[in-house]
Every structure is written in C-alpha cells, then in structure tokens.
Amino acid sequence: KISLRRQRMGSLPIEPEDYALNANALIEQQRRVLEAQHRAGEAAKADVPEDEILEALCTMYKGKPLPEDWDPNSHPYFMTDVAAEEAKGNPMVEGFRALAMPDPPEEIAEDFKKKGNDALKRGPKYYRDAVEFYTQAITAKSPIAKNNSVYYSNRAAVQLLRKNYGKVVEDTEEALKLDDRNVKAYYRAARALSSLQKYNLCIEKCEAGLLIDPVNKDIKKELAVALARKKDKDDAAKKIEAANAKKLMEESSKGRKVRDAIKERGIVMGQVVFANPTKAEPTIDRSGL
C-alpha cells in the first residue's frame, strides 16, 4: 500500500537525511509519535489528568533524544506552519498529504484480488474467505472492465471448487459481459454447465472459447467430454422414447380388441357407477370371450 502511494507521489525526492534524520530514525520516530498519540488519546478518554499524560510522554521519550539539529516543524506530525514548510519545498508536506489520500478503487480492488488468490492457495478451508475477498474486489468498483471480469471469473473458480455450479454460471456470465474474450470464464462456465448436465450450453461455451483460443487444451478436453456425454444422454432418451411408443401401441391394440368385442355383442356402455379400485384394464381372453 505504501509503495502505491509513493508511486502517486511521482518522482518527488524524499530524503530523510536532508532533515538530519536517517531512514531508520525517521521510521522509529514516527512509530513513537503514533504510540504517544494513541496513549494520550486513550488517557484523555479515561479522564486521566493532563500532567499524568505529559509525564507518560516524557517517560516514553526519556533516553531517546533526537538529533540536536533536527527542526520539529519540518516533520508533518509537529508542523505549526504548513504553508511555510511547503514554500521551502519540504517534500514531507506533499508526502504526508499523499498518505492521507484514499487509494483509488482500482488499487483497492487489486489488493482484494491478491488476498483472494492467497486464500485460494491455502486450500479448501479458506475457499469461503477467497469468495469474500473477490466479492470485495468486485464491490470496490474498479473503472477497468477487464479487471472486474477477472474478479468475477476468479470467484467463479472458487465456486466451481465448492460445486456451487449455479453461482459459477452467474459469475461467468457477468465476467463475459465485461470482457467477452475472457477464455477462463468460458472454460469455467463450460465445466459448470457440464456438471449440471446442460451439454448443449456447455458445447456452446466451449466453441465460443475456442474461437478466441483455438489451441486451448482444457476447453478442447471439456468439449470432447460434453459431446460424448450428450451422445450417451441422447441415446438413452431415444431408448426410453422407443419403449414408451411400444407400450402405447400395445395398449392401443388391446383397447381396440375390447371395443370390437363389445360392439359385436351389442353391449351398450353407460356411465361409470362403481369405482375400479384395482384400476385393472378390461382384456379379451384367448378364447375371445
């Protein structure tokens, strides 16, 4: 985070040595100032007398003197005349202002993405954390569409591992809206659709992904699996359909025989008077009676 803020400050040279402080001394000084401010604030909340607060601060700094030629006003924490220091060209004024500025959304989003990646690498126990980090990356609202596509696709990858196939389909759809050349989104969508036995849609995603990356081995493999499973499913459906058709034909033939026998005997059928609890169908025996 500090490095990103330094980038925002550009090439502005900030050399602590120019103010009679070396880098380590500056860091240590800042740490002590923050500690002192925190303790003073806590003491103020607890209604500790001011003289006790000052005594505590003196004790903290006792035996740790700063360089004699150091001007407290040159440091942002102790400045009394910021305008004067800025006029002198004190780079720490601009540096302190840069530190106080909020990070831009694209940097916040990338930071959460990195945390999500780290959580994912740690294994199944941290998948829920990874989903949360990628969600925060999305809600950071980066203005870079391709980056947002990656965040959705990465969250889909975790949901795929968790077998939340419906959520995978949702996230990959969002990813592809933002970047229709996101090959990983096509692949993850295909995997989820195959698991949901939606082979036609799976094949469509595979073919769309291969238009962008024709040599992608993972998508080619997924396409082959989807085609084979679709064939098996279609064959099974045809067998069931044929069996049902045969059954209907047999039932129709029996019905015709019964109707013909009734007609030959001059029997007139009326309305049903008694229910048939067995639901047995009328049949003609071998003798035709």
Side-chain angles (χ1 to χ4, degrees), residues 6 11 45 52 73 80 82 100 110 117 123 125 127 130 133 163 167 175 200 227 250 268:
R6 286 177 178 169
S11 58
K45 291 177 184 178
E52 292 185 20
N73 193 55
T80 56
V82 177
E110 281 294 293
N117 292 347
K125 290 184 178 179
Y127 287 169
F133 284 131
K163 299 183 179 180
K167 292 185 179 296
N200 288 330
L227 288 170
E250 290 175 352
V268 179

Short mmCIF file of all heavy atoms in Angstrom, two decimals, residues 6 11 45 52 73 80 82 100 110 117 123 125 127 130 133 163 167 175 200 227 250 268:
data_model
loop_
_atom_site.label_atom_id
_atom_site.label_comp_id
_atom_site.label_asym_id
_atom_site.label_seq_id
_atom_site.Cartn_x
_atom_site.Cartn_y
_atom_site.Cartn_z
N ARG A 6 3.53 5.87 -2.80
CA ARG A 6 4.77 6.50 -3.26
C ARG A 6 4.73 6.74 -4.75
O ARG A 6 5.21 7.74 -5.26
CB ARG A 6 5.96 5.62 -2.89
CG ARG A 6 6.29 5.68 -1.40
CD ARG A 6 7.42 4.75 -1.05
NE ARG A 6 7.77 4.84 0.37
CZ ARG A 6 8.58 4.00 0.99
NH1 ARG A 6 9.12 3.01 0.32
NH2 ARG A 6 8.85 4.15 2.26
N SER A 11 8.05 11.18 -8.85
CA SER A 11 9.49 11.06 -8.63
C SER A 11 10.00 12.08 -7.63
O SER A 11 11.18 12.40 -7.61
CB SER A 11 10.22 11.24 -9.98
OG SER A 11 9.89 12.50 -10.54
N LYS A 45 -9.64 9.83 27.00
CA LYS A 45 -10.96 9.20 27.11
C LYS A 45 -11.22 8.75 28.54
O LYS A 45 -12.36 8.73 29.01
CB LYS A 45 -11.05 7.99 26.18
CG LYS A 45 -11.07 8.35 24.71
CD LYS A 45 -11.10 7.09 23.86
CE LYS A 45 -11.02 7.43 22.37
NZ LYS A 45 -11.01 6.20 21.55
N GLU A 52 -0.39 13.87 34.21
CA GLU A 52 -0.02 12.46 34.14
C GLU A 52 0.24 12.04 32.70
O GLU A 52 1.12 11.24 32.42
CB GLU A 52 -1.12 11.59 34.75
CG GLU A 52 -1.28 11.76 36.25
CD GLU A 52 -2.29 10.78 36.82
OE1 GLU A 52 -2.55 9.76 36.15
OE2 GLU A 52 -2.80 11.04 37.93
N ASN A 73 9.47 21.36 13.36
CA ASN A 73 8.49 21.91 12.44
C ASN A 73 8.64 21.33 11.03
O ASN A 73 7.75 21.46 10.20
CB ASN A 73 8.60 23.43 12.39
CG ASN A 73 7.41 24.06 11.69
OD1 ASN A 73 6.27 23.84 12.08
ND2 ASN A 73 7.67 24.84 10.64
N THR A 80 3.83 23.46 12.67
CA THR A 80 2.92 24.52 13.12
C THR A 80 2.60 25.48 11.98
O THR A 80 1.59 26.18 12.01
CB THR A 80 3.56 25.32 14.28
OG1 THR A 80 4.84 25.82 13.85
CG2 THR A 80 3.75 24.42 15.50
N VAL A 82 2.39 24.90 8.12
CA VAL A 82 2.48 24.02 6.94
C VAL A 82 2.81 24.82 5.69
O VAL A 82 3.61 24.39 4.86
CB VAL A 82 1.15 23.25 6.76
CG1 VAL A 82 1.20 22.38 5.50
CG2 VAL A 82 0.87 22.39 7.98
N ALA A 100 -2.47 10.64 3.25
CA ALA A 100 -3.83 10.87 3.76
C ALA A 100 -4.89 10.66 2.69
O ALA A 100 -6.07 10.52 3.01
CB ALA A 100 -3.93 12.29 4.31
N GLU A 110 -7.50 -4.46 -6.68
CA GLU A 110 -6.36 -5.35 -6.93
C GLU A 110 -5.81 -5.92 -5.62
O GLU A 110 -5.37 -7.07 -5.57
CB GLU A 110 -5.26 -4.59 -7.67
CG GLU A 110 -5.52 -4.43 -9.16
CD GLU A 110 -5.49 -5.77 -9.89
OE1 GLU A 110 -4.42 -6.38 -9.97
OE2 GLU A 110 -6.56 -6.20 -10.37
N ASN A 117 -6.52 -14.52 -4.03
CA ASN A 117 -5.61 -15.51 -4.60
C ASN A 117 -4.83 -16.23 -3.50
O ASN A 117 -4.65 -17.46 -3.56
CB ASN A 117 -4.62 -14.82 -5.55
CG ASN A 117 -5.30 -14.29 -6.80
OD1 ASN A 117 -6.45 -14.63 -7.08
ND2 ASN A 117 -4.60 -13.47 -7.55
N GLY A 123 -5.97 -23.51 0.40
CA GLY A 123 -6.72 -24.76 0.43
C GLY A 123 -8.19 -24.60 0.76
O GLY A 123 -8.69 -23.49 1.01
N LYS A 125 -10.18 -25.02 3.26
CA LYS A 125 -10.65 -24.34 4.47
C LYS A 125 -10.79 -22.84 4.27
O LYS A 125 -11.50 -22.17 5.03
CB LYS A 125 -9.70 -24.62 5.64
CG LYS A 125 -9.75 -26.05 6.14
CD LYS A 125 -8.86 -26.22 7.36
CE LYS A 125 -8.92 -27.64 7.91
NZ LYS A 125 -8.05 -27.82 9.08
N TYR A 127 -11.60 -21.37 1.20
CA TYR A 127 -12.37 -21.03 0.00
C TYR A 127 -13.41 -19.96 0.29
O TYR A 127 -13.65 -19.07 -0.52
CB TYR A 127 -13.06 -22.28 -0.57
CG TYR A 127 -12.11 -23.25 -1.26
CD1 TYR A 127 -12.54 -24.53 -1.63
CD2 TYR A 127 -10.79 -22.90 -1.55
CE1 TYR A 127 -11.69 -25.42 -2.28
CE2 TYR A 127 -9.92 -23.78 -2.17
CZ TYR A 127 -10.39 -25.05 -2.54
OH TYR A 127 -9.55 -25.92 -3.16
N ALA A 130 -11.76 -16.70 0.29
CA ALA A 130 -11.41 -16.30 -1.08
C ALA A 130 -12.62 -15.69 -1.77
O ALA A 130 -12.51 -14.65 -2.45
CB ALA A 130 -10.89 -17.49 -1.86
N PHE A 133 -13.13 -12.18 -0.45
CA PHE A 133 -12.15 -11.21 -0.95
C PHE A 133 -12.45 -10.83 -2.41
O PHE A 133 -12.37 -9.65 -2.77
CB PHE A 133 -10.74 -11.78 -0.84
CG PHE A 133 -10.19 -11.77 0.55
CD1 PHE A 133 -9.61 -12.91 1.10
CD2 PHE A 133 -10.25 -10.63 1.34
CE1 PHE A 133 -9.10 -12.92 2.39
CE2 PHE A 133 -9.75 -10.61 2.64
CZ PHE A 133 -9.17 -11.77 3.17
N LYS A 163 -18.41 -26.65 -5.82
CA LYS A 163 -19.53 -27.31 -6.52
C LYS A 163 -20.82 -26.50 -6.47
O LYS A 163 -21.91 -27.07 -6.52
CB LYS A 163 -19.74 -28.72 -5.97
CG LYS A 163 -18.52 -29.63 -6.15
CD LYS A 163 -18.79 -31.04 -5.67
CE LYS A 163 -17.56 -31.92 -5.89
NZ LYS A 163 -17.77 -33.31 -5.44
N LYS A 167 -23.92 -20.72 -9.18
CA LYS A 167 -23.20 -19.46 -8.95
C LYS A 167 -22.06 -19.30 -9.95
O LYS A 167 -21.72 -18.17 -10.34
CB LYS A 167 -22.68 -19.41 -7.52
CG LYS A 167 -23.77 -19.30 -6.47
CD LYS A 167 -23.19 -19.12 -5.09
CE LYS A 167 -24.31 -19.01 -4.04
NZ LYS A 167 -25.12 -17.80 -4.25
N ALA A 175 -18.75 -12.01 -15.99
CA ALA A 175 -17.37 -11.85 -16.46
C ALA A 175 -17.33 -11.64 -17.97
O ALA A 175 -16.59 -10.79 -18.47
CB ALA A 175 -16.54 -13.07 -16.07
N ASN A 200 -25.73 -29.03 -24.19
CA ASN A 200 -25.82 -28.14 -25.35
C ASN A 200 -25.21 -26.78 -25.04
O ASN A 200 -24.45 -26.23 -25.84
CB ASN A 200 -27.27 -27.99 -25.80
CG ASN A 200 -27.82 -29.24 -26.47
OD1 ASN A 200 -27.06 -29.98 -27.09
ND2 ASN A 200 -29.11 -29.48 -26.35
N LEU A 227 -19.48 -33.64 -25.61
CA LEU A 227 -20.04 -34.29 -26.80
C LEU A 227 -20.35 -35.77 -26.53
O LEU A 227 -21.40 -36.28 -26.94
CB LEU A 227 -19.07 -34.16 -27.97
CG LEU A 227 -18.95 -32.75 -28.58
CD1 LEU A 227 -17.79 -32.70 -29.56
CD2 LEU A 227 -20.25 -32.34 -29.26
N GLU A 250 -49.13 -51.17 -27.78
CA GLU A 250 -49.70 -52.38 -27.19
C GLU A 250 -51.00 -52.07 -26.48
O GLU A 250 -52.00 -52.80 -26.59
CB GLU A 250 -48.71 -53.01 -26.22
CG GLU A 250 -47.50 -53.62 -26.92
CD GLU A 250 -46.46 -54.13 -25.94
OE1 GLU A 250 -46.64 -53.85 -24.73
OE2 GLU A 250 -45.50 -54.77 -26.37
N VAL A 268 -74.16 -52.02 -24.79
CA VAL A 268 -74.13 -50.55 -24.74
C VAL A 268 -73.55 -50.14 -23.39
O VAL A 268 -74.07 -50.52 -22.34
CB VAL A 268 -75.53 -49.96 -24.91
CG1 VAL A 268 -75.47 -48.42 -24.82
CG2 VAL A 268 -76.13 -50.40 -26.24
#
